[in-house]
Every structure is written in structure tokens, then in C-alpha cells.
Amino acid sequence: MKRPLPMPPNHVDPLLAGASLGLVVIGAVVVGSASISLADRDIGEPLYYLLRHLGAVGIGCAGAFIVAAVPTDVWYRLNGFVLLACVVLLVLVLVPGLGQTVNGSARWLGLGPVRFQASEPARLLLLTYVASYAVRHQADLLTSFWGFLKPMFIVALVCALLLAEPDFGAAVVVTLTSLGILFVAGARLRDFVLALIIAASAFGALAVNSAYRLERLTAFLNPWSDPFASGFQLTQSLIAIGRGEWFGVGLGEGVQKLFYLPEAHTDFVFAVLTEELGFVGASFVVLLFAFIVYRAMAMGQQAIREGMEFQGLLSTGIGLMLGIQALINIGVNTGLLPTKGLTLPLVSYGRSSTVVTLVALGMLMRVHRELSAVQQVTAKRRPKQ
């Protein structure tokens, strides 16, 4: 692996930073609008969720600055510790007394007054490990099915721990992101397709064999058949999206968030956003996500061409993770996918997700700085025409 050369300390990607800032600002505005009535009714403090969301943004920005100052080679060399931390987090959340159950899922760890969702940092840690594995064992990955299968065993272990919580959506994101990293790293197409078929079959069997997941699946296929029970969330989301039309009903003027739409400030914040800002506002948010994913993937390819394989795969993995999660959340809100319980990164209220997403973007900023430094040196070494 080629190590990055020294770089200017303030070299950042202004377009990536601008798109990220745009989502943070939109998220704060929409979380405030979606949660104000709920917070006033349940807690007596209208700005309760907004202030906590802004606190998470502050912590996440601090984490992003710290991570952006750490050479990516550190994460590469600490790959064993990274994997251990991922597994330990997911095991601890299942330990009685340590893990905390919310809405029937044991996804939370409490450290004194601080509570966080363990699967969020675990996902980032796992993709970092998979990227390092693909670089360290590239020869095996290119030539043998066993080289492809070994990291997938680890991914399967992580998915089993996630499903034990249960967190089906996170398991899907982890699997697809890991497969994407290995494919970009050069895994053979037949190995990739076979693993994809096995993963799809396994998740399909889990969905059919669980009464809870099967109910969600059937509700997604025809929510109007039972609009006041199993299809309630989706029908209310579709009503909100339909009311938005082209330009929305106006910021703060949405109706569905007023105790009609469950989880209005978390899982279904995109529906609230569309109702109040319309198709134009929703499309702008989608474009911001698309640009971040494109920028991360393009940066990944540039890094790989410069011999920075780990940085390239890390950037690719972060882009895939954010893109897949955003796609699933928007798909759920619009009725294209069954409910998964995933937040919309940087936009939904979800402090663990917000902090980890900003830290991941800090990693992207670091990759950009290191890539720029290498490209500058490469340009200087080119013979003048």
C-alpha cells in the first residue's frame, strides 16, 4: 500500500463539504418542524428533539475534524483492532444490563448519561476492516473463492449479531456495502454473483420465516388493504408526499406530522420534508445525496489509480454505505420498499447516525487531502511538454 505524502493542512473538498453542510442544514430545519408538536405534547419542550439533534451535529463535526487529522494508514494498520471493536460493540448490546431495549429492539448501549446505537459505529468499523482485508489479501481475492469467502464469513457473523437485536435494515446495508467493496477490489464476477444470490436468499428466508417481517412485507405490497393497522405508516407517508405536490404546503405547515404519521422526525422525515417543500425540495435532497455518493465513488477510483488502494476502497465503502441507506429510507417513505427502520443520514433525527455519518464524511475529507497531495507530486514529476 502506498502511503500518502505530506499535504497542506487546510486542503478540503469544497463541493463535498458544501453538499454535506446542505444536508445538515436541511436536516436541522426539517427535524425541528417534524418534532415540535410531538415534543411539546410528550415532553412539554417544543425544541427538545431539535436541540438534541444539534448537539449530535456538534459532536459529529468535532469527530469529523479529529478523524480528518488522522492519516488513513492508521486505520489500515489497526485493522484487527477495528474488527474487534465492531464485534465487541454488537456483543455488548446483547448483554443484559448493558444493552437497552427500545421499541422491542436491543440496539442501544448506555455509558452513564450517554446512550448510542451500537450498530452505527459498528457498520463504519466493518467496512474499514473489509477495505483493509481486500488490500492485504488482494492476490487471494483475485484468484480464489476462498479469498472472497473469508471476509464474507466475518460479515455473516456481524449480520447474525445485528439480526439478534434485531436490526434487519442494518444487516442489509452491511452486506451490500461489503459486497460492493470486494467487487471494486477485484473479486471475480462469479464469486460476487454467487455471494449476492446466497445473501438475497438468506434475507428472503428470514423475512418469510418471521411473522413480524412478513407482516411488514405484505403491508408494503398493499398498504391500503389495512390502512389503520399494518399499512398505517405507509399510507400516512404517501398522503404526506401527495400533499406536497410541486412546491409543498410551506415549511412548518405540514399536517401529517401532527400525530398522524408515526416516527415523523426519524424514519419518515422524508415524507414530512416532501409535504412541506414539495417535489422540488425532495429532489434537491436526493441530488445532494447523489452528489456525495458520486464524489466518494469517483474519489475512490482516483485513489486506486494512484496506488492508494485502501484509501480508494474506504472512500468507495463510505459512498456505498451512505447511498444504500439513503436509498432504502427514501424507498420506504415512497412505498417502493418495505419498512426497515433506517434513518435518512444527516436529515433524520437519530443522534448516533448523525455523529457516525459526520465522522465518515471526515474520513472522506482525509482521503481527499491525501489523494490531492499524491496527485500534486505526480504532476510535478511528469515531464514538461
Side-chain angles (χ1 to χ4, degrees):
M1 178 180 129
K2 182 190 284 187
R3 296 188 179 184
L5 300 173
M7 67 213 65
N10 297 320
H11 195 88
V12 298
D13 185 338
L15 295 178
L16 180 60
S20 303
L21 179 61
L23 287 176
V24 168
V25 172
I26 292 171
V29 172
V30 177
V31 165
S33 177
S35 67
I36 188 168
S37 298
L38 177 66
D40 188 38
R41 182 194 67 177
D42 294 345
I43 303 170
E45 174 51 58
L47 300 180
Y48 177 80
Y49 291 111
L50 175 59
L51 293 176
R52 289 161 72 88
H53 179 76
L54 292 176
V57 169
I59 295 172
C61 288
F65 279 112
I66 293 172
V67 169
V70 177
T72 53
D73 186 55
V74 172
W75 308 113
Y76 177 80
R77 288 185 282 108
L78 293 177
N79 61 85
F81 175 79
V82 165
L83 177 61
L84 178 63
C86 169
V87 174
V88 167
L89 281 173
L90 296 178
V91 170
L92 288 178
V93 82
L94 301 175
V95 177
L98 292 177
Q100 300 180 6
T101 301
V102 179
N103 295 330
S105 297
R107 302 180 184 179
W108 303 86
L109 277 175
L111 298 175
V114 178
R115 191 180 71 175
F116 66 96
Q117 193 168 346
S119 63
E120 295 292 343
R123 279 187 284 167
L124 182 58
L125 291 169
L126 180 65
L127 77 85
T128 303
Y129 171 79
V130 173
S132 71
Y133 172 90
V135 176
R136 290 181 290 111
H137 301 278
Q138 189 173 36
D140 293 337
L141 188 64
L142 294 172
T143 58
S144 71
F145 182 64
W146 177 242
F148 182 87
L149 203 59
K150 283 191 289 186
M152 292 310 299
F153 276 134
I154 294 173
V155 173
L157 170 63
V158 170
C159 286
L161 293 172
L162 288 169
L163 292 171
E165 296 181 7
D167 194 343
F168 189 79
V172 171
V173 174
V174 159
T175 302
L176 293 178
T177 303
S178 300
L179 285 171
I181 292 173
L182 294 175
F183 181 73
V184 172
R188 296 180 300 183
L189 181 60
R190 63 184 182 186
D191 296 343
F192 173 79
V193 172
L194 179 59
L196 190 61
I197 293 173
I198 293 173
S201 301
F203 283 125
L206 287 170
V208 172
N209 291 331
S210 168
Y212 171 69
R213 298 191 189 104
L214 185 59
E215 181 182 356
R216 283 189 168 190
L217 181 62
T218 55
F220 139 76
L221 293 174
N222 188 12
W224 301 103
S225 64
D226 193 6
F228 300 107
S230 61
F232 186 74
Q233 283 183 316
L234 182 52
T235 55
Q236 296 303 312
S237 177
L238 293 175
I239 290 171
I241 292 172
R243 291 189 74 245
E245 297 184 351
W246 283 100
F247 299 102
V249 298
L251 188 62
E253 299 297 323
V255 173
Q256 294 307 113
K257 66 186 181 184
L258 302 177
F259 319 127
Y260 294 104
L261 180 61
E263 312 295 340
H265 61 305
T266 55
D267 297 353
F268 286 90
V269 74
F270 185 78
V272 176
L273 183 152
T274 307
E275 181 182 12
E276 298 190 350
L277 301 180
F279 176 80
V280 172
S283 297
F284 181 67
V285 169
V286 171
L287 288 174
L288 288 178
F289 275 114
F291 176 78
I292 291 175
V293 172
Y294 165 77
R295 190 72 189 97
M297 301 290 285
M299 193 189 310
Q301 289 301 303
Q302 292 171 4
I304 291 172
R305 286 196 295 269
E306 293 289 346
M308 302 167 61
E309 291 85 1
F310 173 68
Q311 291 84 352
L313 295 176
L314 180 64
S315 180
T316 299
I318 292 172
L320 286 173
M321 181 182 70
L322 295 179
I324 292 169
Q325 183 169 339
L327 180 65
I328 290 176
N329 179 274
I330 294 172
V332 167
N333 276 249
T334 55
L336 297 176
L337 294 172
T339 304
K340 287 288 186 295
L342 289 172
T343 59
L344 187 59
L346 299 180
V347 180
S348 296
Y349 174 80
R351 292 177 295 166
S352 301
S353 174
T354 298
V355 170
V356 172
T357 300
L358 287 169
V359 169
L361 291 171
M363 286 184 167
L364 285 182
M365 291 296 180
R366 181 67 194 191
V367 172
H368 173 78
R369 292 174 62 190
E370 295 180 357
L371 176 61
S372 297
V374 171
Q375 289 176 330
Q376 288 175 6
V377 171
T378 301
K380 291 179 181 179
R381 289 175 178 171
R382 288 175 185 156
K384 295 182 180 180
Q385 299 296 331

